[in-house]
Amino acid sequence: MVWVSLRTTRTDRRAPLRTPTTRCTTMSLEWLMDWSWSLDGLRDFIATGIQSFRDCDATALAAVACLLVLFVWYCYHVGREQPRTYATVNALMQSAEANGVQNGYVYCHSPECVRCTHHDGLNQKLYHNLQEYAKRYSWSGMGRIHKGIREQGRYLNSRPSIQKPEVFFLPDLPTMPYFSRDAQKHDVELLERNFQTILCEFETLYKAFSNCSLPQGWKMNSTPSGEWFTFYLVNQGMCVPRNCRRCPRTYRLLGSLRTCIGNNVFGNACISVLSPGTVIAEHYGPTNIRIRCHLGLKTPSNCELVVGGEPQCWAEGRCLLFDDSFLHTAFHEGSPEEGPRVVFMVDLWHPNVAAAERQALDFIFAPGR
C-alpha cells in the first residue's frame, strides 16, 4: 500500500472560500480606505484655496467681501418688502362703488389726487412716486420720464399754445394732431369689427332718455351751447361697475384691446353724445402719453372735430385717432331731425411710449395716488 500525503495547493491557500460575511467585511474596508482618500483630497483642496486667498491682494479681498455684504443686504431688503399692489380695471370692478363712484362717474374727494391737483408740489409728488417705483423695480428705461418730471414746469410753461397738456408732458414723443390707423392697428381693427355690438348696447341705453332728462349713469358736461352727455365705463382709470353691467359686451371688448389705458388716471372709455346745436369749448387734454380714439356710432352731417386747427369728420364704423393734448373742439351743427352725434371714445397708449415706461406711468399715476 502506498501512502500519499494530501496537500493544498498554493492556489487554494491564497484563495480561500469567501462567505457573504467575508465579502461584506472586505467591501467595508475598501470603502473606508476610499473615504479616507477623499478626506485627504478635500483637505488638500481647502488648503490650496486658503493659500490662494493668502496670495491675493488684501484690497481685492476687501472689495469682494464688501460686495458680498451688499448683496446679502439687498436680498434681505427686497425680500422683506411687500410689493405695492395697485388696482387693475378688473379689480376695481368689484370695489369702485365704495371709492366714490356715483351715478356713473368719479367724484374726486382727495386734494392729493394727481389728476386734479395743480399746485407747486405736484412735481415733487410725481418724483417721489418715480423714486418709489424705481426702488421696487428698476431705473432701467426711466430716463425720459425722469427728464419730464424734473423739468415739467418748464415744459408746460414753454409749450406753444397749440399743444399744452395740463398735467404731464412726456418729452421727445412725436407730435401731431392726428394719427393714422396703423398707429394702433390691432385695436382699431378690433373696435371696428365690433361696431354693431357697441351700437346695439348704446341704442338700448339711449331709450331711457325718453323717460327722464338725465338717466342714471349718464353725465352732462358743461358746454357753451347745446347738450353733451357721456356714459363712462372707465373714468380716470376707475371702472364704473353699474355702467359696465349695462354694457357687458363692450366692457369685455376693452379687455381685448392691447393698448387701452386702464390702470392710470389718464385712461377713459365712454359713449359720447352731442345733441344738434352743441359746441364744445376749445380745451387741452391732461397729457401727451395717450391717443384718443373715437369710433363713430352715429355721425350726422355737419359734425366736425377740430384738433390743432385741423378739421376732421367722423364716419360710422370707423376709428379716428388724435392727440387731445392739442387744442381741440367739436361741434354738431346738423338739424334736430338728424339726431345726435354718437362716438365710442377710448384712450390708447401713444405708440412711442415704451413698455417699461407704460408700467412706470401706471404706477406713478395710479388712481388714488
Side-chain angles (χ1 to χ4, degrees):
M1 178 180 295
V2 179
W3 294 92
V4 179
S5 61
L6 296 177
R7 293 184 181 179
T8 57
T9 62
R10 185 174 301 177
T11 304
D12 292 337
R13 288 198 304 268
R14 291 188 178 181
L17 178 63
R18 285 191 171 186
T19 64
T21 303
T22 307
R23 186 178 297 111
C24 292
T25 304
T26 304
M27 291 177 63
S28 300
L29 291 174
E30 291 176 353
W31 181 83
L32 287 173
M33 292 178 64
D34 292 340
W35 196 66
S36 176
W37 179 88
S38 299
L39 289 178
D40 292 340
L42 179 61
R43 186 170 59 252
D44 294 341
F45 176 78
I46 295 174
T48 303
I50 294 174
Q51 186 60 39
S52 299
F53 272 103
R54 290 176 178 173
D55 295 339
C56 288
D57 183 70
T59 304
L61 289 176
V64 171
C66 290
L67 290 174
L68 182 60
V69 170
L70 287 174
F71 176 74
V72 172
W73 174 86
Y74 175 79
C75 291
Y76 167 76
H77 184 69
V78 172
R80 185 185 61 177
E81 287 191 349
Q82 295 296 325
R84 178 182 182 273
T85 56
Y86 50 99
T88 62
V89 171
N90 291 333
L92 288 168
M93 185 74 178
Q94 306 297 326
S95 62
E97 288 182 336
N99 292 329
V101 180
Q102 304 170 12
N103 194 31
Y105 59 98
V106 172
Y107 288 91
C108 180
H109 299 292
S110 173
E112 300 298 324
C113 175
V114 175
R115 174 66 178 87
C116 304
T117 302
H118 300 279
H119 55 73
D120 294 337
L122 176 60
N123 290 349
Q124 286 78 6
K125 182 176 180 63
L126 296 181
Y127 189 72
H128 171 77
N129 292 348
L130 175 61
Q131 284 185 315
E132 185 178 352
Y133 172 85
K135 180 178 69 174
R136 299 185 180 189
Y137 299 99
S138 172
W139 277 104
S140 177
M142 297 300 103
R144 189 158 55 176
I145 296 178
H146 181 263
K147 176 182 177 182
I149 292 176
R150 189 180 65 245
E151 303 183 21
Q152 195 63 206
R154 181 175 67 84
Y155 284 132
L156 297 182
N157 294 330
S158 64
R159 294 298 303 168
S161 59
I162 194 173
Q163 185 192 27
K164 191 171 290 187
E166 296 180 340
V167 177
F168 179 72
F169 178 79
L170 186 64
D172 305 324
L173 283 182
T175 297
M176 61 191 77
Y178 294 96
F179 285 79
S180 70
R181 295 162 45 83
D182 292 337
Q184 298 295 2
K185 185 176 180 180
H186 173 272
D187 290 352
V188 166
E189 292 178 348
L190 186 59
L191 287 167
E192 291 178 351
R193 285 199 302 270
N194 288 272
F195 160 69
Q196 286 295 338
T197 297
I198 302 172
L199 178 62
C200 288
E201 291 193 331
F202 159 72
E203 289 176 338
T204 301
L205 290 172
Y206 200 64
K207 291 176 182 177
F209 273 88
S210 60
N211 301 325
C212 58
S213 58
L214 187 64
Q216 189 176 44
W218 289 87
K219 175 185 176 183
M220 178 177 286
N221 303 281
S222 176
T223 58
S225 62
E227 294 177 327
W228 174 24
F229 304 101
T230 48
F231 186 85
Y232 279 94
L233 303 183
V234 178
N235 187 16
Q236 296 184 16
M238 301 272 294
C239 276
V240 185
R242 185 176 300 152
N243 290 359
C244 291
R245 285 193 292 267
R246 296 172 67 183
C247 299
R249 290 180 293 176
T250 301
Y251 173 70
R252 284 195 297 269
L253 177 63
L254 292 176
S256 301
L257 301 178
R258 294 177 180 174
T259 61
C260 175
I261 301 178
N263 293 335
N264 70 55
V265 295
F266 299 129
N268 301 276
C270 71
I271 296 172
S272 175
V273 179
L274 291 185
S275 62
T278 300
V279 176
I280 298 177
E282 291 185 327
H283 62 286
Y284 302 98
T287 183
N288 66 328
I289 67 172
R290 72 186 186 189
I291 295 177
R292 179 148 285 185
C293 175
H294 281 183
L295 172 65
L297 300 181
K298 290 184 177 293
T299 57
S301 58
N302 297 315
C303 295
E304 279 189 358
L305 171 69
V306 182
V307 182
E310 300 181 20
Q312 290 278 355
C313 295
W314 296 277
E316 292 183 4
R318 302 283 288 180
C319 287
L320 183 62
L321 305 179
F322 65 98
D323 184 344
D324 73 325
S325 66
F326 282 80
L327 187 66
H328 63 284
T329 181
F331 56 85
H332 180 0
E333 295 181 341
S335 63
E337 293 76 18
E338 292 182 290
R341 182 240 60 177
V342 185
V343 299
F344 179 64
M345 184 196 79
V346 59
D347 290 322
L348 308 176
W349 284 103
H350 190 293
N352 293 93
V353 178
E357 292 175 321
R358 296 178 186 183
Q359 181 179 337
L361 291 168
D362 277 346
F363 184 92
I364 294 169
F365 291 101
R369 285 192 65 85

